[in-house]
Amino acid sequence: MTTGLEMNLYFDEAGMGEGTWTECGDVGDVNVPHAANKTKRKVRKNKYERTTMGQFVTQVTFSLVYKKADPVFVMLRDAHLNKSIIGVAAMTGPIDEAGSEGMQYDCHVTDFPMNQPLEEDSMIDIVVEPASEADDDPAWVEISS
C-alpha cells in the first residue's frame, strides 16, 4: 500500500514532453480526480435508464506553502499570471522509478488564491487543468525503466 506521503508531484516549465521535471516538495494534500461527462439514455424498452460516457475530466488540486524564493512557487505563479502552459505529473512515486504511475499533462494554472491565516502557514490552494492548446491529451503513464 502506498500513502500520499510516498507520492510525488512534479512540474516542467517547458511542458510534459521535455523531461526536465522539478519535484514540488512543499506541497500538502494533492487530489487528482478523474471522471467522465455522461448523459442518460432513457428508452421505453428498458426498465432502467442507461449511462453514456462522454469526454474525461481531470485536474490536479493541491496546497502549496507560500515561499517566495521557491523555484516551483515562482514557476507556478508566473505560469498563472502569464497564462502559460506547463507540464504536471502527479505520480505514485519518484518519476524516474520503475513502477511509478500517474497522470501527466500540459496545463494552465487556473486558480492561485493566496490564503493568509492569522497563525498558520500561508498556503496557496492551486488548481491546474489540461490546456486546450496542448498537443497531447492527458495520459496515465507508468514508468517502465
Side-chain angles (χ1 to χ4, degrees), residues 20-21 29 32 38 42 61 69-70 76 79 82 94-95 106 111:
T20 52
W21 296 107
D29 291 339
V32 189
K38 53 193 172 279
K42 301 175 187 181
T61 64
D70 178 12
L76 292 165
N82 297 322
I95 201 161
D106 286 333
D111 292 49

Side-chain angles (χ1 to χ4, degrees), residues 97-122:
E97 183 176 284
S100 291
E101 59 184 355
M103 287 297 294
Q104 294 183 13
Y105 54 88
D106 286 333
C107 63
H108 285 296
V109 180
T110 58
D111 292 49
F112 197 83
M114 293 185 61
N115 303 314
Q116 299 178 357
L118 183 60
E119 295 181 340
E120 298 171 7
D121 286 342
S122 180

Side-chain angles (χ1 to χ4, degrees), residues 119-134:
E119 295 181 340
E120 298 171 7
D121 286 342
S122 180
M123 303 291 287
I124 301 168
D125 297 322
I126 298 173
V127 178
V128 298
E129 299 179 271
S132 63
E133 306 91 331

